[in-house]
Amino acid sequence: GTIPTGTQEQLTVSGTQFDDTILDLTTQSTFASSSTGVIFIVGTGLASGVSAGTSNVTATYTVHVNRSGIAAA
């Protein structure tokens, strides 16, 4: 995607459970930009276009497993 210089875009993360329920995982994820001079990300995914160029953006969500082996967010 493209984020024009001087604009902001809210990035999102979603996940699908085994029963096809879709969860919004944005606030539980962390975001990073490979080039903060091009895309700068604050908080839970608010991305700002800083200058022209290319940047890889990654979002990470960690799954926690309870003792019975069932994934729990």
Side-chain angles (χ1 to χ4, degrees), residues 1-11 38-39 47-51 57:
T2 301
I3 301 175
T5 300
T7 65
Q8 294 181 323
E9 182 176 325
Q10 177 63 53
L11 305 176
V38 175
I39 299 291
S48 298
V50 178
S51 65
V57 174

Side-chain angles (χ1 to χ4, degrees), residues 36-73:
T36 56
V38 175
I39 299 291
F40 186 76
I41 303 173
V42 294
T44 54
L46 184 60
S48 298
V50 178
S51 65
T54 301
S55 178
N56 292 315
V57 174
T58 57
T60 303
Y61 172 77
T62 302
V63 175
H64 301 279
V65 178
N66 65 22
R67 291 187 183 166
S68 66
I70 300 171

